[in-house]
Every structure is written in C-alpha cells, then in structure tokens.
Amino acid sequence: MRIVFIGPPGAGKGTQAARLSEKLSIPHLSTGDLLREACQRKTEIGVQAADYMQAGRLVPDDLVQQILVGRIAQDDCHNGYLLDGFPRTEPQAEMLDRILLQRQTPLDLALELKVPEEEIMTRLDSRGRHDDQREVIHRRLEQYASLTRPLLDYYRSRDVLHSADGIGNADEVFQRIEAIVDQIAD
Ligand code: AMP
C-alpha cells in the first residue's frame, strides 16, 4: 500500500505514521528524517539542504526529489511505503504523481490527520513552550495552511482522500486510522 500522510505540525502525525507503518509492514519515509540524515552524513544533498533546514524553510524540490526517488527505489519499498512530510506543496504532489506513474504504482490513500489549529496551540501551551518556540510553530502552521492544506482538495478530487479525527489519545486516534485502512484494504 502506498500512503501519504497529511496533517498540521503538532498533530501527532509522526507517532501515528510510525504505528501505521508497523501495522502494514511498510517503511515509514519521513522526508525530514531523510534530509536530516543526509545533513549528518554530509552528502552532497545534505550539504545543499542544511541552510534551508536551519532557517526552517522548505528545501528546494529538486533536492527533495533526489532523496525521495533514491529511497523509494530501495527493495524494502517494493510492497509500498508511507510518506510523512511529503508532499508539502502542490508542485510536490505533481512530482509524486510523475514518480508513481513512471513506476506504475498508484497511490492508494491520502490520509489526513485532522486537528484544528486552536487545539494545536492549546497542546503547545500546555507543554509550556517559550514564546520563540511558539513563533516558530505559528510560522509552520501558517506554512501548512497556505501551502499544504490545498493538497486536501488535490487528493479529494482524485478520490483517495480520507480524514481521521486527530483529537483524543494516541490509541483512539490510531483506531480511527486503522478503520480507514482496513476499509481500503478490503
Ligand atoms: P519535518 O521533520 O517534516 O518537520 O521537516 C524538517 C525540515 O526538513 C523542514 O523544515 C524542511 O526544511 C525540510 N523538509 C522536510 N520535508 C520537506 C519537503 N517535503 N519539502 C521541502 N522541505 C522539506
């Protein structure tokens, strides 16, 4: 199964994606993790991506594409994979469509983890974040709203979008996700 996971920062997406990848025995591919690893290993892509990441800006598409195409081509992705943190923009969604078409492997599911922004700010407040961190999160939420949220319509119009309510504890949320995945797998 090939899945893209979409949700605002702070929604618990990483945790749920990890659980789902375990349930389905498919790799959890986080472009953030792949890019951080490339930075640490000081690969050519990593060196070029580092400044953007430190500034909290999106890494240019050609670099993200290179890292993703390389990863998807590995053997463990043969039966599918779960993408977390990609696509983040409509051009990236189009890029993914081209990659999938070339490999003749359609996308099975775009899964939205739905948490209202007010709820995310409340969660952050309860964790006692400092103002500067709150500002960074605000910026990332704005980026999500303007660049990533339009992807919901993109995938809805392709009939692959399903939304799971992200409010509640991690087990409750995961049960909702499992219900969606089980329905699709049928
Ligand atoms: P994340 O771990 O998903 O929050 O990503 C950490 C950082 O990696 C982001 O702030 C971006 O600089 C970069 N990044 C991750 N995914 C992407 C993507 N799909 N497109 C561009 N940059 C990305």
Side-chain angles (χ1 to χ4, degrees), residues 9 13 30-36 49-61 64 84-89 92 140 143:
K13 192 159 50 78
S30 148
T31 42
D33 285 349
L34 291 171
L35 287 164
R36 273 185 290 275
D51 285 348
Y52 294 94
M53 295 180 72
Q54 266 151 29
R57 290 167 54 203
L58 290 181
V59 171
D61 284 352
V64 181
D84 172 11
F86 180 92
R88 256 184 168 77
T89 63
Q92 288 189 356
R140 298 192 60 191
Q143 196 178 58

Side-chain angles (χ1 to χ4, degrees), residues 3 12 23 28-30 51-52 55 64 68 70 102-103 107 109 118 122 135 138 151 167 171 181 185:
I3 302 174
K23 172 188 159 84
H28 170 202
L29 310 186
S30 148
D51 285 348
Y52 294 94
V64 181
L68 192 71
Q102 198 174 22
R103 302 182 65 84
L107 185 70
L109 169 64
E118 308 82 69
T122 310
E135 204 172 302
H138 261 296
L151 293 183
I167 294 187
D171 287 341
V181 170

